[in-house]
C-alpha cells in the first residue's frame, strides 16, 4: 500500500520535523516500509491538498503517516470527505504521530503505560501499523449552519463541516477562539486555561434539541446511580428532546473521551463505547443549581466558581459526571440535580437566542464558525453505512 508521510512543522512546540527525522522515518525504514512520499506542510490547507494529490496518483487504498495535532487531521478529513475529485470509495488509513498541542484523538486511543518512555508512547500507532493492526473506522459528525429563514448553508458555503473530535458552542467554543490568539505566546495547553479565565462568567442563551440515535430511536442520558446510560423517558421514542438554556457549557465528542491527555470530559465514550453512530454531549446549565434565583452579573460570577470546580474534576478521570448539588447548592455530594448533564444521542440542534452574540460561536475540532443571527447549527453523527462519505480509519 502506498505510504504518504505528512507532518506539520509548526504544530505544538514545532518539533515534528525533528521527531520524524530522528524516529519515524528511520523506524519505517527498519521495518522495510519505505515512504512513497514525504511532505512537510508549507501552509494551512497544504495537508489536505497533498493527500488528495497522492490519492489521485495512486489508484488504491493509501496509508497516511501524519505528524500533527487534531487540527491538521481535521483539515485532511474535510478536504477529502466530500470531494468528487476522487472517483471511488477507497479507504484512507491514518497512522497518527502526536506532535500537536492537545492531540485529543491520540490521547483517547492510546493511554500511556506506567513508566512508558515518551518516544515509545508517541510511536504506538506507527508500531500498530508496522504490526499490521486492523485499523478502526472513525465516526464523524457533520454540522451545517442555517440562516434566519431556514436557508441552508454549510460552514464552507455549500457543504457541512465534519468533526472527528469535538463540536461545541458556549464556553468551549469561546476558549478555542480566544486561545488561538495566544498560540505564539503560550505554545502549550496552558493557553486553554488562560482563555477559559477570560470567558468563564459568560452564560449562553440558546434552545437545544437532542436528536435520537438513528439505530434505537432514543436519546440516552447518563444515570450516576446506574453508572451507565439509560433511555431518557419512556414515551419519547423517535422524537427529539428539548433542552432550554442558558448554558454555561455545551460540548459534544465523537471517538474521544478526552480533549487533552488528562481532561477526560466525556468518560462514557470509553467506559461504555457506542455501538453505532452517535454523539456524546456534556452540558452545564446554571439554572439547575437549587440556589439560583435571578440572572445577575453577580449570580454569573458566583456560578463561574462552580463551573470551574466541576470542569476541574474532569481532570480526575472524568468524575464530574457523577457530581450532584446538595440542597444548599454545594457540589460536594447530595442527591439533587447532577451539575453536569451527559447524553448520548444521534445529534443536536443549537438554536441561539438572537440577542446573545456570544451564543453564535461554533467550534468544530478547533475551527471556529459563526452562526448567522436568527439561524442555527445542526450536528449529526454519520452512519457507518453512509457510502457518500469517504472511509477514514486509524491504526490502533
Ligand atoms: N506549514 C504551516 N504553516 C502554518 N500553519 C500550518 C502549516 N501546516 C499546517 N498548518 C496549520 O497549523 C494548524 C495547527 O495544526 P494542528 O492542529 O495539527 O496542531 P495543534 O493545534 O498544535 O494541535 P491540536 O489540534 O492537537 O491542539 C492547522 O490549522 C494547520 O492548518
Amino acid at each position: 500500500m502506498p505510504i504518504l508521510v505528512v507532518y506539520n512543522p509548526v504544530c505544538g512546540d514545532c518539533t515534528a520535523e525533528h521527531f520524524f527525522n530522528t524516529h519515524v522515518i528511520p523506524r519505517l525504514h527498519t521495518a522495510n516500509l519505505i515512504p512513497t512520499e514525504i511532505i512537510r506542510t508549507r501552509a494551512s490547507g497544504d495537508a489536505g491538498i497533498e493527500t488528495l494529490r497522492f490519492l489521485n496518483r495512486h489508484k488504491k487504498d493509501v496509508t497516511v503517516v501524519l505528524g500533527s495535532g487534531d487540527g491538521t487531521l481535521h483539515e485532511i478529513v474535510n478536504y477529502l470527505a466530500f470531494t468528487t475529485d476522487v472517483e471511488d470509495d477507497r479507504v484512507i488509513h491514518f497512522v497518527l504521530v502526536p506532535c500537536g498541542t492537545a492531540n485529543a484523538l491520540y490521547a483517547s486511543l492510546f493511554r500511556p503505560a506506567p513508566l512508558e518512555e515518551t518516544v515509545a508512547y508517541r510511536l504506538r500507532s506507527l508500531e500498530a501499523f508496522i504490526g499490521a493492526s486492523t485499523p478502526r473506522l472513525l465516526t464523524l459528525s457533520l454540522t451545517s449552519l442555517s440562516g434566519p429563514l431556514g436557508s441552508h448553508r454549510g460552514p464552507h458555503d455549500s457543504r457541512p463541516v465534519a468533526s472527528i473530535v469535538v463540536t461545541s458552542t458556549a464556553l468551549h467554543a469561546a476558549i478555542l477562539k480566544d486561545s488561538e490568539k495566544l498560540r505564539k505566546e503560550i505554545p502549550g495547553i496552558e493557553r486553554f486555561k488562560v482563555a477559559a479565565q477570560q470567558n468563564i462568567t459568560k452564560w449562553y442563551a440558546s434552545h437545544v434539541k437532542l436528536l435520537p440515535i438513528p439505530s434505537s430511536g432514543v436519546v440516552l442520558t447518563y444515570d450516576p446511580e446506574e453508572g451507565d446510560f439509560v433511555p431518557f423517558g419512556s414515551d419519547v421514542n423517535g422524537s427529539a428532546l428539548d433542552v432550554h438554556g442558558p448554558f454555561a457549557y455545551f460540548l459534544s465528542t465523537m471517538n474521544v473521551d478526552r480533549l487533552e491527555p488528562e481532561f477526560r470530559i466525556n468518560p462514557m465514550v470509553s467506559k461504555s463505547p457506542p455501538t453505532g453512530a452517535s454523539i456524546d454531549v456534556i452540558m452545564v446549565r446554571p439554572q439547575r443549581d437549587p440556589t439560583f434565583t435571578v440572572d445577575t452579573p453577580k449570580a454569573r460570577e458566583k456560578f463561574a466558581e462552580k463551573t470551574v470546580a466541576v470542569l476541574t474534576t474532569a481532570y480526575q478521570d472524568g468524575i464530574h459526571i457523577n457530581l450532584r448539588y446538595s440542597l444548599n447548592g454545594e457540589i460536594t455530594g447530595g442527591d439533587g440535580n447532577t451539575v453536569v448533564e451527559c447524553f448520548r444521542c444521534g445529534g443536536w440542534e443549537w438554536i441561539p437566542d438572537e440577542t446573545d452574540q456570544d451564543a453564535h460561536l461554533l467550534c468544530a475540532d478547533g475551527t471556529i464558525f459563526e452562526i448567522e443571527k436568527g439561524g442555527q447549527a445542526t450536528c449529526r453523527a454519520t452512519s457507518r453505512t453512509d457510502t457518500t462519505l469517504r472511509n477514514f480509519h486509524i491504526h490502533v
Side-chain angles (χ1 to χ4, degrees), residues 8 13 16 33 46 69 75 109 133 162 169 174 193 234 246 263 361 374:
N8 171 355
D13 60 0
L33 292 162
D46 236 19
E75 247 180 48
L109 295 174
S133 71
T169 59
K193 291 192 179 129
S234 55
F263 188 64
L361 284 184

Side-chain angles (χ1 to χ4, degrees), residues 296-310:
T296 59
K298 196 147 183 52
R300 291 187 180 205
E301 243 165 65
K302 195 140 181 43
F303 189 78
E305 291 166 22
K306 297 185 184 182
T307 309
V308 170
V310 79

Side-chain angles (χ1 to χ4, degrees), residues 8-12 41-45 68-72 75 100-104 183 191-192:
N8 171 355
V10 301
C11 65
T41 61
R42 288 150 303 181
S44 184
S68 73
D70 302 299
T72 307
E75 247 180 48
T101 310
N103 307 300
R183 182 182 277 273
R191 71 170 177 271
F192 299 126

